[in-house]
Amino acid sequence: MVAMECMAAGVPLILSANTGHLDLIDDDNCYPLWHQSPVDWRPDGGGTEYWRESDVDEMVAALEWAYEDRADAHVRGQRAAARMAPLTWQRQTDAYLDAIGWPAG
């Protein structure tokens, strides 16, 4: 949710390319971190099969890219805002109610 709010405000973001962030990444609207490694912090390895850890070197490179090319960062922020614009609370609530078959009001 925080990523979506930042995107809607036009803030250029660095996003991990895993889980829910994959739904937000498209058309150069952010700095995606594609190198993801599995996380196995529990002794039995259970419960983390979908977790991923971003590569630190890729993060640093994305930070440097955004810092050094402010014009590109601005464009990515604007693309992110455009990507989020159709996702209003009303539209998303209506889609959810429709999906669960809630009676129209």
Side-chain angles (χ1 to χ4, degrees), residues 3-70:
M4 293 175 73
E5 291 167 345
C6 289
M7 291 175 83
V11 175
L13 290 180
I14 298 170
L15 290 176
S16 58
N18 63 55
T19 63
H21 289 167
L22 291 170
D23 294 337
L24 304 176
I25 297 170
D26 62 21
D27 298 328
D28 298 325
N29 65 356
C30 67
Y31 299 92
L33 301 175
W34 294 111
H35 302 289
Q36 301 292 310
S37 301
V39 174
D40 185 18
W41 63 273
R42 287 178 46 181
D44 64 358
T48 62
E49 57 271 7
Y50 298 108
W51 293 11
R52 298 290 180 263
E53 182 172 31
S54 298
D55 180 76
V56 174
D57 291 332
E58 189 179 24
M59 266 186 248
V60 171
L63 284 167
E64 289 175 346
W65 184 5
Y67 180 77
E68 292 173 6
D69 192 344
R70 304 286 175 97

